[in-house]
């Protein structure tokens, strides 16, 4: 076997996910609401479980309840349900204590948009 280093540079356009990706960059939770059954998916689904493809972009509050957690050498992750969404999402947990049950979406790096949850402010907790 011959070992050969390989470096690749990709520029990927977000396509129909552009509103979702832009939201990640600013810390906004943009979801898709199915025009047929009103189900809200976050992260957005291209095809709703009901089979419909027409949907409207809606902004969620950006807060979420942590349902499950896992920890690994590369950080903490959780299965969460964002307030206003009918689906669940897997997110990176950033600065969230093990006993915290809620978090809020945080802005991500525009070079690598990621879905991350961080600690809620006292004001957000009191209104939640």
């Amino acid at each position: 076997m011959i070992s050969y280093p390989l470096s690749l540079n990709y520029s990927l356009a977000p396509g129909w996910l552009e509103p979702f990706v832009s939201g990640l960059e600013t810390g906004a939770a943009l979801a898709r609401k199915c025009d047929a059954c009103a189900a809200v998916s976050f992260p957005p689904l291209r095809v709703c479980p009901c089979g419909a493809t027409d949907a409207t972009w809606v902004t969620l509050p950006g807060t979420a309840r942590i349902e499950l957690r896992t920890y690994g050498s590369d950080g903490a992750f959780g299965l969460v349900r964002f307030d206003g969404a009918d689906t669940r999402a897997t997110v990176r947990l950033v600065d969230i204590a093990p006993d915290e049950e809620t978090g809020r979406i945080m802005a991500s790096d525009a070079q690598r948009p990621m879905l991350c949850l961080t600690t809620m402010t006292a004001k957000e907790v009191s209104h939640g």
Side-chain angles (χ1 to χ4, degrees):
M1 177 172 292
I2 299 172
S3 178
Y4 183 79
L6 181 63
S7 176
L8 301 172
N9 270 330
Y10 283 98
S11 289
L12 300 174
W16 72 271
L17 285 171
E18 194 282 325
F20 172 70
V21 172
S22 292
L24 292 180
E25 294 169 356
T26 63
L30 274 85
R32 283 184 41 110
K33 182 175 183 178
C34 178
D35 290 346
C37 73
V40 177
S41 60
F42 185 81
L45 298 173
R46 181 73 172 126
V47 178
C48 181
C50 79
T53 57
D54 292 332
T56 304
W57 289 101
V58 295
T59 303
L60 303 180
T63 53
R65 176 160 298 282
I66 302 167
E67 296 184 357
L68 298 169
R69 294 171 186 256
T70 188
Y71 301 90
S73 60
D74 55 348
F77 296 87
L79 180 65
V80 306
R81 183 183 304 265
F82 278 85
D83 295 328
D86 297 309
T87 57
R88 293 177 178 90
T90 302
V91 301
R92 177 180 288 277
L93 302 175
V94 179
D95 297 327
I96 296 183
D99 62 338
E100 286 185 80
E101 297 177 356
T102 58
R104 66 173 169 81
I105 193 170
M106 64 180 284
S108 69
D109 180 346
Q111 294 300 314
R112 288 186 336 164
M114 295 187 302
L115 186 49
C116 299
L117 208 64
T118 193
T119 301
M120 292 174 54
T121 65
K123 183 177 180 179
E124 289 169 323
V125 171
S126 68
H127 286 93

